[in-house]
Amino acid sequence: MSLPAPSTQGTHRLVSSPAGRIHLVEQGTGPLVLLVHGFPESWYSWRHQLPVLAAAGYRAVAVDVRGYGRSSRPDGVDAYRMLDLVEDSVAVVHALGEESAVIVGHDWGSQIAAGSALVRPDVFHGIALLSVPYAPRGGPRPSDVFSRMGGDEEFYVSYFQEPGRAEAEIEPDVRGWLSGFYAAMSGDTMPGPGAPDPHFTSPGGTLRERFPSGRLPAWLSEADLDVYAGEFERTGMSGALNRYRNMDRDWEDLADFDGAPVTQPSLFVGGALDASTNWMADAIEAYPTTLPGLVSSHLLDGCGHWIQQERPDEVNRILTGWLAALPA
């Protein structure tokens, strides 16, 4: 089924999945490359990659993850666990008439890509991770780990756990909140040394209180912000936030994969200024064990979290080079 597009780029379709439907945008022909976004984004975060991958001879497909955009938004919080998202990834590949694909993910999409490659290596024969490194399942329950971070302050992942709490902060002014959140984690607009960390809240406070204000990141135009804000103003934030609310369920569901490596040919690209790459430096150092198929790992100087939008040319060059070197 075709849909009217919010941009002139690519073909918009709905395909069936365990979620109900997944909305996707595809461009090009050739081997399938599945692009999976993170929080709080949509298929649109891959707008710079779709035409480049298509021109390089690939069938590039960017999805709206369940809970986002025009994809289905199941009601139950537990409908957003990792194994459900893996099933969605597999369903998209098969709905497109393919048997296998390379999967590329950013932020939560990086973890969805890793989970998909780990659980369904028969479907996903290559994996590229942007911004969030791969770390195998293991250790204490995630909620216990995050609750100990920040001392008297509350880490944003813990802040997101209670249904309705973050929604009450975000939904009265989605556009304003998104602009601040994007700026807080962008290389050119993130708070400088000594400023309060926007990943934490003070007791009784909100995340937004610590966001920078006054200008958008260089990568984000007013029109781009309109696209993102328009989607979340229509859908609300609960579907997106429910991904965070399933980390303990994922920890239980994936017990059989404790410590398991992802063995397919892989790629990692992170921003040197991104908190994710700094917090998880040990995970990057462990790649010889956890990602034995790693082809290359890159940290882009001066780059923040929104890597494929902040540095599209560099990411496209790295990604297309890696894809070209994959076994046929």
Side-chain angles (χ1 to χ4, degrees):
M1 176 180 180
S2 295
L3 293 169
S7 80
T8 58
Q9 177 176 273
T11 299
H12 291 245
R13 297 177 58 187
L14 296 176
V15 299
S16 296
S17 83
R21 69 178 182 275
I22 293 293
H23 167 246
L24 59 86
V25 181
E26 65 175 314
Q27 192 166 357
T29 59
L32 178 60
V33 179
L34 186 64
L35 305 168
V36 187
H37 67 81
F39 175 89
E41 301 174 278
S42 73
W43 75 268
Y44 190 75
S45 67
W46 301 104
R47 62 195 176 279
H48 302 299
Q49 284 68 52
L50 285 166
V52 171
L53 291 174
Y58 298 96
R59 185 182 187 186
V61 173
V63 300
D64 280 336
V65 173
R66 71 164 65 189
Y68 287 82
R70 288 179 253 179
S71 292
S72 291
R73 299 183 300 281
D75 291 333
V77 172
D78 65 353
Y80 296 83
R81 59 213 307 157
M82 181 59 70
L83 290 179
D84 292 322
L85 299 173
V86 169
E87 290 183 3
D88 287 342
S89 298
V90 173
V92 168
V93 173
H94 292 163
L96 294 173
E98 305 287 351
E99 295 298 323
S100 66
V102 170
I103 188 166
V104 181
H106 170 255
D107 182 77
W108 266 121
S110 176
Q111 298 196 37
I112 295 169
S116 299
L118 184 68
V119 175
R120 293 301 304 269
D122 56 316
V123 175
F124 299 102
H125 61 268
I127 173 177
L129 310 175
L130 305 186
S131 297
V132 176
Y134 174 63
R137 185 266 188 210
R141 188 176 293 273
S143 60
D144 293 337
V145 174
F146 292 124
S147 68
R148 294 195 294 266
M149 295 179 65
D152 293 336
E153 297 187 324
E154 186 176 19
F155 190 46
Y156 80 101
V157 175
S158 299
Y159 180 80
F160 285 168
Q161 292 304 305
E162 181 184 344
R165 183 184 180 194
E167 288 93 328
E169 174 185 343
I170 302 168
E171 291 181 355
D173 178 19
V174 170
R175 194 178 193 279
W177 193 91
L178 289 176
S179 67
F181 191 77
Y182 296 145
M185 300 182 192
S186 295
D188 60 334
T189 51
M190 63 176 55
D197 191 332
H199 297 90
F200 294 84
T201 65
S202 56
T206 64
L207 288 171
R208 185 171 183 166
E209 292 170 353
R210 298 188 175 186
F211 293 165
S213 60
R215 66 187 179 99
L216 295 180
W219 61 268
L220 185 70
S221 70
E222 295 285 353
D224 294 331
L225 182 58
D226 285 343
V227 172
Y228 286 124
E231 293 288 73
F232 289 111
E233 287 167 354
R234 180 173 54 81
T235 66
M237 298 299 300
S238 291
L241 289 163
N242 282 343
R243 175 81 285 273
Y244 289 92
R245 297 164 182 161
N246 279 278
M247 292 182 301
D248 284 351
R249 293 184 182 93
D250 297 340
W251 184 80
E252 295 168 356
D253 290 344
L254 296 172
D256 289 346
F257 295 91
D258 192 80
V262 172
T263 60
Q264 294 93 321
S266 57
L267 169 71
F268 175 72
V269 190
L273 299 180
D274 187 359
S276 298
T277 58
N278 292 299
W279 289 330
M280 300 184 71
D282 290 347
I284 297 174
E285 291 180 5
Y287 278 169
T289 300
T290 61
L291 283 180
L294 184 70
V295 174
S296 62
S297 179
H298 308 260
L299 283 180
L300 306 188
D301 289 339
C303 186
H305 183 68
W306 316 105
I307 189 164
Q308 78 270 32
Q309 299 178 86
E310 291 187 54
R311 298 289 181 80
D313 293 341
E314 290 176 77
V315 170
N316 290 343
R317 176 181 53 80
I318 293 168
L319 186 57
T320 54
W322 172 74
L323 286 167
L326 289 179

